[in-house]
Amino acid sequence: MTTDTATAPAAAPDVPAAPRALRPGRRRLAVVLTLATGAAALFVLTLATGSHPVPVGQVVRILFGGTAEDPRWTVIVEQVRLPRALTATVVGAALAVAGVQMQTLFRNALADPFSLGVSSGASMGVATVVVGTGGVAGSFTGDLAGLGRVGVVLAASLGAAAVLALVLLLSRWVRSAVTLLVIGVMVGSAVTAVVGVMLVYARPERAQQFVVWSLGSFGATTWPDLQVMLPVVGAGLLTALLTAKRLNALLLGEDYARTMGLNVRRSRDLALFGTALLAGAATAFCGPVAFLGLAVPHLTRVALGTSDHRALVPASMLAGAFLALACALLSQPPGTDAVLPLNAITSLFGAPIVIVFLIRSRRGVQGVAS
């Protein structure tokens, strides 16, 4: 006779469950810790490698205030490589966060920190100095008509501010973020055309110096430069962190954000202001650095599996710093005095990595569309 217990389904055996994906919170923590560790390792490696290698142990000792076995190593690390590594870290974080803000504000996967013409404005300022002054001697970041590097940075900052002020003025009559993006692209194109005309009337050596500046570089900044750049970038990053909830509300569109009681115009102005600080400072000191602001936000979304800006903004800072340090390391091959163009490194080596990463990821489409 068959009993009820015989016909009842058997209890599941106590066997290990199949491995599952990490919970969202653990996954985000793992991504942040990985990025932080990787960025720290690359930071030390950037200080250790170059035309004159410095042992990693000696680099760590110098960073913690110790005395190196060779006094020359201290000079190399503190005066030459540390400003470059700090610049790469700060600029990478700045452009990545600026890219997050722009892509969220305009809901466009191709938006980047320079979509509003900030880069073009900075280029116009520098081109004005190159064409309108004389007595250029040495490198482009050297003695420029008696102003030195301060003249270059000031010209780039004023040019970027002028173009951004024009775009913000026009935004008073624009309700749609998409329309504002198109206006920014058009203004940037017009300014780029003006720069091209100006360079026609420049002497060949000056035009060449402008081209060198436009290729981007982390290696030209000094400690006085960092004293100016760090507070400006810090203010921009703090603005992005404080407006994370506003950016989350904009993810579903401006109309939806208004129904939640969000002041869309004020939120948009805050995002544009923060982007201007970040992209303007980065461009003024390092030239127009390509790729980072466009690609890092997508990579970070895919890695985190979320578009929540409370996690996305801090993670993008670390991811931007990590990739910028990697590009800085590749731009100066160890054991040589050669310096490769930074923008060539960011695009040539970075773009294929991003493409493969997005294609292989099951969340790639969602990451780009978010």
Side-chain angles (χ1 to χ4, degrees), residues 296-331:
V296 171
H298 296 311
L299 287 174
T300 310
R301 289 189 191 96
V302 171
L304 292 175
T306 182
S307 293
D308 186 347
H309 290 82
R310 292 172 297 181
L312 182 60
V313 171
S316 294
M317 292 182 190
L318 294 173
F322 176 85
L323 287 180
L325 285 167
C327 292
L329 192 62
L330 291 172
S331 66

Side-chain angles (χ1 to χ4, degrees), residues 32-336:
V32 169
L33 291 178
T34 301
L35 290 173
T37 303
L42 282 179
F43 188 90
V44 174
L45 192 60
T46 302
L47 298 178
T49 58
S51 57
H52 299 283
V54 178
V56 173
Q58 297 298 311
V59 170
V60 174
R61 177 181 296 182
I62 293 171
L63 288 177
F64 283 94
T67 302
E69 296 177 359
D70 189 336
R72 294 176 298 177
W73 291 343
T74 302
V75 175
I76 291 173
V77 171
E78 291 184 348
Q79 301 301 322
V80 180
R81 295 180 184 172
L82 188 54
R84 177 168 66 95
L86 286 174
T87 300
T89 302
V90 172
V91 170
L95 293 178
V97 172
V100 169
Q101 291 178 305
M102 293 296 291
Q103 291 173 10
T104 299
L105 180 62
F106 297 116
R107 301 182 67 196
N108 191 315
L110 296 179
D112 68 1
F114 304 132
S115 296
L116 294 182
V118 174
S119 174
S120 300
S123 298
M124 183 179 67
V126 174
T128 301
V129 173
V130 171
V131 176
T133 59
V136 178
S139 67
F140 188 48
T141 56
D143 184 12
L144 182 58
L147 297 177
R149 178 165 171 78
V150 175
V152 177
V153 173
L154 182 61
S157 301
L158 292 176
V163 171
L164 182 67
L166 175 60
V167 174
L168 290 177
L169 178 63
L170 295 175
S171 71
R172 298 292 92 188
W173 294 279
V174 176
R175 288 179 57 88
S176 171
V178 176
T179 303
L180 181 59
L181 177 62
V182 174
I183 290 175
V185 172
M186 294 300 102
V187 171
S189 298
V191 173
T192 300
V194 172
V195 172
V197 173
M198 294 173 65
L199 291 178
V200 171
Y201 297 96
R203 292 192 302 189
E205 62 271 19
R206 296 188 189 175
Q208 183 179 7
Q209 291 165 348
F210 175 84
V211 171
V212 171
W213 174 84
S214 67
L215 293 175
S217 173
F218 293 141
T221 52
T222 60
W223 286 113
D225 292 335
L226 288 171
Q227 292 176 359
V228 177
M229 182 173 65
L230 290 178
V232 175
V233 173
L237 294 177
L238 181 61
T239 300
L241 290 171
L242 294 178
T243 57
K245 291 184 178 180
R246 293 174 179 264
L247 293 173
N248 281 343
L250 291 172
L251 284 174
L252 298 178
E254 294 184 355
D255 293 336
Y256 179 81
R258 287 191 182 95
T259 63
M260 297 177 60
L262 183 69
N263 188 325
V264 173
R265 173 164 290 182
R266 181 179 299 174
S267 301
R268 185 171 67 182
D269 289 346
L270 282 174
L272 293 176
F273 175 74
T275 300
L277 288 178
L278 297 172
T283 306
F285 287 96
C286 301
V289 180
F291 173 77
L292 295 177
L294 176 63
V296 171
H298 296 311
L299 287 174
T300 310
R301 289 189 191 96
V302 171
L304 292 175
T306 182
S307 293
D308 186 347
H309 290 82
R310 292 172 297 181
L312 182 60
V313 171
S316 294
M317 292 182 190
L318 294 173
F322 176 85
L323 287 180
L325 285 167
C327 292
L329 192 62
L330 291 172
S331 66
Q332 293 190 343
T336 69

